[in-house]
Amino acid sequence: MTPLAFSQFYEKWFDLLHHLVNQLSDFASSIANAKEEYISPLVAAKQEEKLAQLIGKVMLHHEEYFRAKSLITENDPLSVVASPWATTLERSLHWVTGWRPTTAFHLVYTESSVLFESHIGDILRGVNTGDLGDLSPTQFRRVSELQCDTVKEENQITDELSDWQDTASDLVGPRAESKERIERLICIIKKADDLRLRTMRSVVSLLSPQQAIEFLIASAEMLVGIRGWGSNHDCPRGR
């Protein structure tokens, strides 16, 4: 895959992500409104099935992105580092060519806090809302443990990239080992992308279908919002 081909893919991928988040939001709203009425077990089962389908659809979309990025990484890792297809704002927030995996946990905690405060009355009355504001102690513990593990892996990858950058002199001179160095960079980028995808999968697996939908909406809105803001910032400057 060439940088031009990936740029075109990247644009289409974000367009579809925006469409998917609208689907998720509409369905989440319909479920929230339906909670005010009696729902038969059959209808509830169909809702759960639909939720699972939407979650799977969004996760497949993210997996498609990382498959395409793996191809461009193998062909042209330096272009992936430069990321000309991204806005200047996106690039300013990059950690090893993409979003920082621990961002997922900040989203969970932020959404949980906001929803907890908005439903505090229901929660004090013992009403289970079932959303991210209603995380169980076990879920909080498992999310915290996963966060600690992810931080360790992040730090290891950061150190690997730092070591790679510190030995930049190996890329020039009569005894340059550019091929080996580029292959090492490819490995570092792929490790970072693998951690990103594994983190998303792990977080989703720890949540109920409703909570997973809310997490995926928040993460998609963050990605789309950053790109949109970045595009508006870059357009007048012709970047």
Side-chain angles (χ1 to χ4, degrees):
M1 179 176 282
T2 64
L4 177 59
F6 187 79
S7 294
Q8 295 169 341
F9 165 82
Y10 191 72
E11 197 69 39
K12 292 178 181 177
W13 186 87
F14 261 97
D15 288 341
L16 183 52
L17 181 64
H18 190 263
H19 176 69
L20 286 173
V21 75
N22 287 336
Q23 282 187 321
L24 292 176
S25 298
D26 289 344
F27 191 69
S29 296
S30 68
I31 290 179
N33 294 332
K35 281 187 176 181
E36 300 176 2
E37 305 173 358
Y38 169 75
I39 301 176
S40 69
L42 179 60
V43 172
K46 287 184 177 180
Q47 286 183 343
E48 288 288 316
E49 183 180 354
K50 179 66 174 177
L51 281 172
Q53 289 175 350
L54 287 173
I55 291 169
K57 195 173 182 180
V58 175
M59 292 307 298
L60 283 173
H61 188 57
H62 283 285
E63 289 167 11
E64 181 184 8
Y65 169 78
F66 286 113
R67 278 196 297 271
K69 189 178 174 189
S70 177
L71 293 176
I72 182 66
T73 297
E74 290 175 359
N75 291 338
D76 194 347
L78 296 181
S79 287
V80 175
V81 173
S83 298
W85 43 80
T87 65
T88 52
L89 177 61
E90 287 174 294
R91 289 194 292 272
S92 74
L93 298 172
H94 274 179
W95 168 84
V96 195
T97 76
W99 52 271
R100 185 178 287 274
T102 45
T103 302
F105 304 102
H106 297 305
L107 282 174
V108 170
Y109 295 138
T110 299
E111 290 298 307
S112 179
S113 177
V114 170
L115 289 170
F116 178 84
E117 291 179 6
S118 67
H119 298 318
I120 187 66
D122 291 334
I123 293 171
L124 290 175
R125 290 195 300 272
V127 178
N128 294 325
T129 60
D131 56 24
L132 279 173
D134 197 22
L135 290 173
S136 69
T138 299
Q139 285 179 307
F140 269 118
R141 176 179 56 78
R142 293 178 66 189
V143 168
S144 178
E145 290 172 349
L146 179 60
Q147 181 180 16
C148 290
D149 292 339
T150 304
V151 168
K152 290 178 183 177
E153 288 196 64
E154 263 190 16
N155 291 339
Q156 290 172 355
I157 295 171
T158 298
D159 289 343
E160 285 187 49
L161 181 60
S162 179
D163 290 342
W164 187 88
Q165 293 169 331
D166 287 344
T167 55
S169 59
D170 293 346
L171 288 168
V172 296
R175 301 181 64 182
E177 300 177 352
S178 58
K179 183 178 179 181
E180 291 77 6
R181 296 270 301 151
I182 292 301
E183 288 177 350
R184 187 179 169 199
L185 177 60
I186 291 173
C187 181
I188 294 170
I189 295 172
K190 285 190 171 185
K191 279 186 180 180
D193 283 340
D194 176 67
L195 181 57
R196 277 184 268 268
L197 185 56
R198 280 192 291 112
T199 301
M200 282 199 73
R201 286 173 174 162
S202 297
V203 170
V204 168
S205 71
L206 295 177
L207 304 174
S208 70
Q210 180 185 345
Q211 293 166 342
I213 285 287
E214 291 167 348
F215 165 71
L216 291 173
I217 289 173
S219 63
E221 287 179 340
M222 178 191 70
L223 293 174
V224 172
I226 289 173
R227 180 159 180 78
W229 196 95
S231 295
N232 291 335
H233 175 268
D234 291 350
C235 281
R237 296 164 175 76
R239 293 182 182 138

